[in-house]
Amino acid sequence: MPDVPRPRAGRTQTVKASIASHEPLAGRSPRLARRRHETRVRLLDAAFGLVAEKGIDGVTISQITDAADVGFGSFYNHFESKERIFAALVDWLFEEFANTLDRLSRGLADPAEVIAVSVRHTLLRACREPVWGQLLIREGLSARALSRGLGQRLLRDTKRGIAEKRFMIADELMCVISVIGTVLAGIAAELDLATSSRRAVRTRKILRSKAEKFAESTAAIVLQAFGLAGLEAEKIACRPLPAAPQEVTA
């Protein structure tokens, strides 16, 4: 089952879980640490909601603090600038998704299928959550994205495939960059198709079917870049997707 958008309340719960480990607690009372943590969560959640509505360039710090019900000056206790909160937001979004991909591919013995599942879920999520897809296009080849989260997972899975002699490539880093470029181009094409369709609402099921087929085709192209033969790549790319893990609710 492909990724589906989560309601805002569920997203806030996920933010709390994902940034908890990054919030230093030493030297603070438990109550102060908890209040600081909750404020940071509200700011990040508000930023994501506003980005979804207005785009990154259309959001101001005052809009973020108003939406989070946080004093304007309190913003700077957590982030130095608008750019820093967006960087933290991007880190959270892609680290969260990278963890989701790890759970989805857990138990898959074939490194090629791991790559195919990751590519397909990435394209399908971008299609269902255009803001997320736009952020990935913007940040996908940045130094931050390549050095952590999705970039490091892809490099890890590539090395695994090479070690198991499943992938035949000359330069693993250049292959990873090429694969990311292919996926980002695919996302851009899908988002353009979805936004340019005047009958997008009435043809949602058709667009979803096309997105799934496109995700499979993109995954097959990626696998061929890793050295698999075309027919085998297409077969692996069309295997049923692992079911998305159920979220734990409080």
Side-chain angles (χ1 to χ4, degrees):
M1 183 192 310
D3 282 73
V4 295
R6 287 187 292 277
R8 184 162 183 168
R11 185 177 68 242
T12 303
Q13 188 65 30
T14 306
V15 175
K16 288 180 180 179
S18 66
I19 69 173
S21 61
H22 300 292
E23 185 71 12
L25 302 178
R28 301 195 184 111
S29 72
R31 178 179 296 179
L32 289 176
R34 183 173 63 252
R35 290 172 63 180
R36 178 179 174 84
H37 170 77
E38 290 171 351
T39 300
R40 179 181 173 89
V41 167
R42 291 206 306 272
L43 288 167
L44 284 168
D45 190 56
F48 184 61
L50 288 166
V51 168
E53 179 184 350
K54 303 172 178 291
I56 288 178
D57 295 333
V59 177
T60 65
I61 292 176
S62 62
Q63 289 172 334
I64 294 172
T65 54
D66 287 346
D69 194 22
V70 172
F72 184 85
S74 297
F75 175 92
Y76 294 97
N77 293 330
H78 301 272
F79 305 101
E80 295 177 3
S81 63
K82 186 176 80 169
E83 290 70 25
R84 292 300 294 271
I85 191 173
F86 287 147
L89 180 62
V90 167
D91 286 345
W92 158 61
L93 287 172
F94 299 144
E95 186 66 27
E96 174 210 2
F97 186 61
N99 290 335
T100 297
L101 292 179
D102 277 349
R103 292 193 296 271
L104 284 165
S105 60
R106 188 176 297 151
L108 295 178
D110 184 0
E113 187 171 5
V114 171
I115 294 292
V117 165
S118 298
V119 170
R120 291 165 67 190
H121 268 286
T122 300
L123 282 161
L124 290 169
R125 178 165 180 176
C127 181
R128 285 169 167 78
E129 301 181 45
V131 173
W132 186 90
Q134 291 162 4
L135 286 170
L136 184 56
I137 290 172
R138 172 174 169 156
E139 298 289 334
L141 286 172
S142 69
R144 183 169 57 249
L146 290 172
S147 63
R148 64 186 74 180
L150 289 172
Q152 283 301 296
R153 258 68 161 207
L154 179 56
L155 186 58
R156 177 202 64 195
D157 294 337
T158 299
K159 290 181 176 179
R160 175 191 166 194
I162 294 172
E164 296 181 13
K165 302 189 184 304
R166 191 70 170 103
F167 301 152
M168 305 297 293
I169 56 179
D171 187 320
E172 62 188 39
L173 180 59
M174 289 307 300
C175 184
V176 165
I177 292 173
S178 175
V179 166
I180 293 174
T182 299
V183 172
L184 295 182
I187 291 172
E190 280 295 283
L191 293 182
D192 182 66
L193 173 65
T195 56
S196 64
S197 174
R198 295 181 179 179
R199 297 182 300 171
V201 174
R202 284 180 292 173
T203 61
R204 187 170 295 168
K205 290 184 178 179
I206 297 174
L207 288 173
R208 183 182 298 120
S209 176
K210 288 183 177 179
E212 290 169 355
K213 293 293 184 183
F214 187 76
E216 292 171 0
S217 298
T218 304
I221 291 171
V222 166
L223 291 180
Q224 290 177 68
F226 281 113
L228 275 69
L231 190 60
E232 183 185 17
E234 292 173 6
K235 182 178 179 180
I236 293 172
C238 293
R239 288 176 182 169
L241 281 170
Q246 296 296 317
E247 288 190 15
V248 178
T249 56

